[in-house]
Amino acid sequence: MANRLAILWALVVLAVGVHQVSFWRGAHLDTDVLALLPEDEQAPEVDAATRRLADEAGRQVVLLVGAKDWTAAQQAADAATQALGQSGDVLEPAVVDTSALDQAVDFYRPYRDRLLTPSQRQWLTRATPDELGGTALMKLYQPAGAQLTDWNVDPLGLWPDWWQARAAETSARPRDGRLWLSGEGREWVLLTWKSKVSAFALGDGARVTAAVERARSRVETAVPGGRLVAAGVPLYAEAAAAQASWEMSTIGFGSLAAVLLLVWLTFRSLRPILLVGVSLLLGCAVALTVTALLFDRVHLLTLVFGSSLVGVAEDYGFHYFAARQGKAPSERGPVMRSLLPGMALALITSVVAYLALGVAPFPGLRQMAVFSAAGLTAAFLTVVCWFPSLDRGALPVTAFSERFSASITRWPRVTSTRGWWLTGAGLAVLVAVGLFRLKPQDDLRQLQGAPPNLIADQRELGRLLGLPSPAQFFLVEGDSDEQVLAREAALKQRLDPLVTQKVFAGYRAVSDWLPSEAQQREDAALSARAEAQAVAAVAASTGEAPTRAAFAQTPLTPSRFLAGPAASAIRQQWLGTLGARQYSVLMLRGLNDPKVLPRLEAVAQGLEGIRWVDKTAEISGLLGRYRRIMGGLIAAGYIAVLLTLMARFGRQAWRAWLPSVLGTLLTLALFGWVGAPLQLFTVLGLVLLLGMGVDYGIFLLEHPGDGSAWLAVALAGVSTLLSFGLLALSATPALRSFGLAMLLGEVTIWILTPCFRLPTRKATP
């Protein structure tokens, strides 16, 4: 039977090997941080809007090149452009078509009469014929070069103001064939480039970042005091990929090296090292294959998290070789059979704990749960199926293992004495105070792990350009295109007073570029009446008979607008049809103070079809909700584990169960004492403690008084600490919080578990 299992497992491993070759050739790894976040269960249209806004900027890199004066700024921009051009295999310029404005003007020309700003509507409504005539006369005698179009097309000069309102959506202005702005004591040139590859493709390293850094260096060399500020999704994606790759190497290979060193010190034989290494390698390979088969793409952070599996999956090999040490090779089968019940129970509790991560609606966490559960199972099967067949030589007891095994007799054991009761009471007080001081904090911004220089550049560039925020916006829905545009107009009427009060800088709406048909008809009638009065006044004053130009008879429709040259400025905000409804996004500029967000949220109240979206607050709320759910899951899990242990160990089950409970409580108390926030990822670490911490007690109860069981538990605990200790040093805040909880909990549980071991029975005389 054992040989059949070994052959069957070998066939599975062979299939995994074939898959690994094809997988790494394609390398479908995902670094998109949005993939780690929960999908919006209640509003898929909000998720669609968020992704549309994110995808629009997925390849774009925006740069501002500045200097003290305009001439130097142009020189610096030329130096940056030349340096970026040397990376033609990675970047390409997003060419600014100088004829785009002329094309847009020509496109809008037939509809000029129905394009009015709110202030123009107010003025045309209240202006007298004399005021209109005076304005028209002034425009008539204005030099032709200062006019955007002929006088008879725009006798009141309304169109330049409309275009100026559109230009106010960005601070950049054309100057000498470039896009220019002035701010913070410098003259700036705006450069826009695109990545030729996906922002989330790992490729051959941080090539976009390297190109930007070369351009920065070239600017600083070419122009004294020159400065380059850059931002873009590709830069963030490459930084995340580089950081995750470094951590994966550090955590994974560092843990592996530490584990193998422990095996050598304990057994002084290459055979345990090789076989434990095989179990770990196959565990990770099978985990990756299973994850790749169940998910479209494997996230890079899944591999980073999974690299900590090394500190857990070697437990089964440790237990086998610790029990096998000092026994004849012929006893391999009986040794494995004696270990199998405890190892299987430990595997079940660990896998259940890992799979509990999948309860939260985080695609990334589900991947991590599947990866870890599959990896542990594969390592377990490798030990059970192959180790008795491959472990053929002698394995003598070493001095190191003998001392470690004997140390269990010197470990303090909890008894019903006054000293232990006082110790327990003191710990209870410390835990209670720590739990009282513990503060939950679910702000999504705490999970941001981008390099500080990227964040600083992003903020400076946002200040200078007045870029809209993709995290807070208004989602407008309606039964038709017309209703969406009309509702946008109603929303803008409420936002205009806040812009005047400088609560925020402004907004960018589709209806600014494409008014509703009703608004177009109303504005066309208003401008026709006012301009007719103006033309009549000019005729009466000059004795001539000027005529007003003719305009399009049909309104500008969404389909015609979206096919025109002006749509590129706003296309990403027109979501179109989602389900049976139409949607658009109104974006806000200059949101620099979080305190104004409640005022903006209040604007949407009472407006049908208008929804305020604060994606940061929504995800933060979801993090808090699932933190509470997972907290309840921990409590339920401990009850379920206790019942499982009681089925195996009866009244003594509490000895394997209580150390994990105490480890969880002490970890939370330590977080409270040091002021560390309680986050969802902290709670997720505690979920895993439930499964892995109980393993130590299971093995000590399965083999009471057996020094080899304590040796295996000690080695497993130390290797787990090394693995999750490195994870606690991660630069990714979520992984760091998770790893810190695991580190503190594992230390506590590892120390406490032998204190609750069964009393050693005295031999009868």
Side-chain angles (χ1 to χ4, degrees):
M1 181 65 180
N3 289 333
R4 291 179 181 176
L5 289 176
I7 293 172
L8 180 60
W9 183 239
L11 293 175
V12 173
V13 170
L14 181 62
V16 169
V18 173
H19 174 267
Q20 290 288 299
V21 173
S22 62
F23 175 85
W24 288 110
R25 283 179 177 174
H28 299 300
L29 297 178
D30 189 7
T31 61
D32 183 1
V33 71
L34 292 177
L36 297 175
L37 300 178
E39 298 176 1
D40 196 321
E41 304 152 313
Q42 308 300 325
E45 63 274 10
V46 175
D47 184 63
T50 303
R51 290 190 174 273
R52 172 75 67 84
L53 297 177
D55 291 343
E56 183 69 19
R59 293 177 183 267
Q60 192 175 59
V61 179
V62 180
L63 306 99
L64 282 176
V65 184
K68 294 297 183 181
D69 58 72
W70 177 236
T71 301
Q74 293 182 88
Q75 294 174 356
D78 290 338
T81 301
Q82 183 180 10
L84 293 171
Q86 295 174 356
S87 302
D89 58 329
V90 180
L91 289 169
E92 61 181 354
V95 179
V96 178
D97 188 356
T98 56
S99 64
L101 178 59
D102 294 335
Q103 294 175 6
V105 169
D106 291 338
F107 172 79
Y108 275 121
R109 196 180 303 278
Y111 309 100
R112 199 284 308 158
D113 62 329
R114 65 210 63 183
L115 301 175
L116 299 176
T117 66
S119 59
Q120 287 174 338
R121 292 189 191 101
Q122 295 177 5
W123 178 66
L124 293 179
T125 301
R126 68 170 186 267
T128 65
D130 290 340
E131 291 175 336
L132 295 170
T135 301
L137 278 171
M138 181 183 66
K139 298 296 182 182
L140 177 63
Y141 294 115
Q142 190 175 25
Q147 298 179 13
L148 185 61
T149 187
D150 295 338
W151 181 89
N152 64 323
V153 176
D154 185 20
L156 293 175
L158 300 175
W159 213 11
D161 291 340
W162 186 86
W163 278 108
Q164 187 174 1
R166 303 291 74 76
E169 295 179 359
T170 177
S171 302
R173 298 288 183 271
R175 181 176 178 181
D176 296 338
R178 305 174 188 266
L179 289 176
W180 155 84
L181 68 146
S182 180
E184 300 186 357
R186 294 176 185 268
E187 305 297 311
W188 300 89
V189 176
L190 174 63
L191 302 176
T192 308
W193 287 67
K194 282 186 176 181
S195 173
K196 288 186 175 181
V197 296
S198 170
F200 308 118
L202 295 181
D204 299 324
R207 295 188 293 167
V208 174
T209 302
V212 170
E213 290 305 315
R214 283 196 300 270
R216 193 191 308 273
S217 177
R218 190 76 61 85
V219 166
E220 294 172 353
T221 302
V223 178
R227 192 152 183 272
L228 184 146
V229 180
V233 174
L235 299 177
Y236 280 90
E238 288 187 347
Q243 182 64 41
S245 298
W246 182 86
E247 289 178 1
M248 183 172 61
S249 301
T250 303
I251 294 170
F253 292 112
S255 300
L256 180 60
V259 167
L260 296 181
L261 177 61
L262 284 172
V263 175
W264 171 256
L265 291 175
T266 305
F267 304 110
R268 294 298 177 94
S269 171
L270 288 177
R271 188 169 67 256
I273 293 178
L274 293 175
L275 290 181
V276 170
V278 167
S279 70
L280 298 179
L281 179 63
L282 291 182
C284 291
V286 171
L288 181 57
T289 293
V290 171
T291 305
L293 293 176
L294 293 180
F295 298 90
D296 291 335
R297 298 178 68 86
V298 179
H299 201 284
L300 187 62
L301 283 183
T302 299
L303 300 185
V304 175
F305 179 87
S307 64
S308 64
L309 191 68
V310 171
V312 184
E314 87 292 340
D315 291 6
Y316 311 115
F318 278 167
H319 284 289
Y320 170 79
F321 282 111
R324 162 79 170 79
Q325 199 172 33
K327 295 182 174 63
S330 59
E331 297 186 49
R332 292 169 299 171
V335 167
M336 180 58 73
R337 286 192 291 273
S338 69
L339 293 174
L340 196 56
M343 289 172 59
L345 184 59
L347 173 68
I348 291 171
T349 57
S350 296
V351 167
V352 168
Y354 271 115
L355 291 180
L357 297 176
V359 173
F362 291 76
L365 287 180
R366 289 171 181 165
Q367 278 197 21
M368 294 175 187
V370 169
F371 186 99
S372 301
L376 280 182
T377 304
F380 170 83
L381 291 174
T382 302
V383 171
V384 172
C385 296
W386 284 4
F387 276 29
S389 300
L390 299 176
D391 175 33
R392 294 183 175 275
L395 195 66
V397 177
T398 64
F400 179 84
S401 63
E402 190 173 21
R403 287 195 298 270
F404 228 126
S405 300
S407 66
I408 187 66
T409 60
R410 297 187 296 273
W411 207 275
R413 192 175 66 82
V414 174
T415 56
S416 183
T417 61
R418 182 179 180 183
W420 279 110
W421 281 109
L422 290 176
T423 301
L427 284 176
V429 172
L430 291 175
V431 167
V433 174
L435 294 178
F436 178 78
R437 293 166 58 95
L438 189 63
K439 300 296 182 183
Q441 206 168 49
D442 303 301
D443 192 342
L444 177 64
R445 283 165 288 205
Q446 292 184 10
L447 305 181
Q448 187 178 35
N453 63 306
L454 279 182
I455 297 175
D457 274 13
Q458 178 75 48
R459 289 175 177 171
E460 183 174 3
L461 194 142
R463 287 195 310 269
L464 290 167
L465 288 177
L467 298 176
S469 169
Q472 292 88 19
F473 54 86
F474 288 97
L475 185 67
V476 185
E477 67 174 301
D479 296 327
S480 63
D481 298 342
E482 179 71 5
Q483 191 176 60
V484 169
L485 295 172
R487 287 176 173 177
E488 271 196 12
L491 172 61
K492 291 190 296 184
Q493 289 180 357
R494 291 196 177 184
L495 291 174
D496 286 337
L498 297 182
V499 176
T500 303
Q501 298 168 23
K502 297 184 179 180
V503 174
F504 65 105
Y507 51 78
R508 191 170 72 183
V510 176
S511 55
D512 288 335
W513 297 82
L514 174 66
S516 66
E517 292 187 14
Q519 186 70 65
Q520 290 183 53
R521 288 192 296 269
E522 181 181 328
D523 287 351
L526 178 60
S527 63
R529 183 174 62 253
E531 290 176 1
Q533 293 175 351
V535 170
V538 169
S541 175
T542 62
E544 299 179 0
T547 58
R548 181 173 182 262
F551 297 99
Q553 298 300 309
T554 57
L556 177 60
T557 61
S559 59
R560 178 166 173 72
F561 168 76
L562 292 173
S568 59
I570 205 74
R571 182 177 284 111
Q572 76 272 17
Q573 293 178 226
W574 185 254
L575 304 182
T577 304
L578 294 175
R581 308 279 286 173
Q582 306 292 315
Y583 293 91
S584 73
V585 171
L586 187 146
M587 302 184 71
L588 307 171
R589 295 184 291 107
L591 282 181
N592 300 319
D593 185 1
K595 296 179 181 178
V596 307
L597 297 181
R599 296 184 64 180
L600 292 169
E601 183 178 7
V603 168
Q605 296 177 3
L607 288 179
E608 187 177 358
I610 305 296
R611 183 183 315 173
W612 167 250
V613 177
D614 185 347
K615 202 63 181 176
T616 301
E618 283 185 11
I619 296 178
S620 298
L622 201 60
L623 290 173
R625 179 156 61 93
Y626 278 92
R627 174 181 52 78
R628 294 186 289 271
I629 290 175
M630 298 302 284
L633 180 65
I634 290 176
Y638 271 115
I639 295 174
V641 167
L642 179 60
L643 294 176
T644 304
L645 294 175
M646 289 178 65
R648 174 68 178 170
F649 302 115
R651 291 185 176 182
Q652 300 299 329
W654 67 273
R655 295 181 180 274
W657 179 78
L658 190 57
S660 292
V661 176
L662 294 177
T664 298
L665 293 176
L666 286 169
T667 298
L668 291 173
L670 287 171
F671 269 68
W673 276 106
V674 302
L678 178 64
Q679 302 172 336
L680 172 64
F681 291 92
T682 310
V683 177
L684 294 177
L686 300 180
V687 171
L688 296 191
L689 283 179
L690 165 62
M692 290 186 290
V694 170
D695 291 358
Y696 305 150
I698 288 174
F699 282 106
L700 291 183
L701 285 182
E702 281 284 347
H703 310 280
D706 188 347
S708 66
W710 167 238
L711 172 64
V713 166
L715 293 176
V718 171
S719 62
T720 302
L721 294 180
L722 288 171
S723 179
F724 286 106
L726 290 173
L727 195 61
L729 299 176
S730 170
T732 305
L735 290 179
R736 184 168 60 247
S737 176
F738 174 89
L740 185 59
M742 287 297 301
L743 175 65
L744 296 175
E746 280 288 326
V747 168
T748 307
I749 294 172
W750 185 76
I751 292 174
L752 290 177
T753 297
C755 296
F756 292 91
R757 68 189 184 278
L758 285 167
T760 303
R761 295 178 181 178
K762 295 182 179 180
T764 55

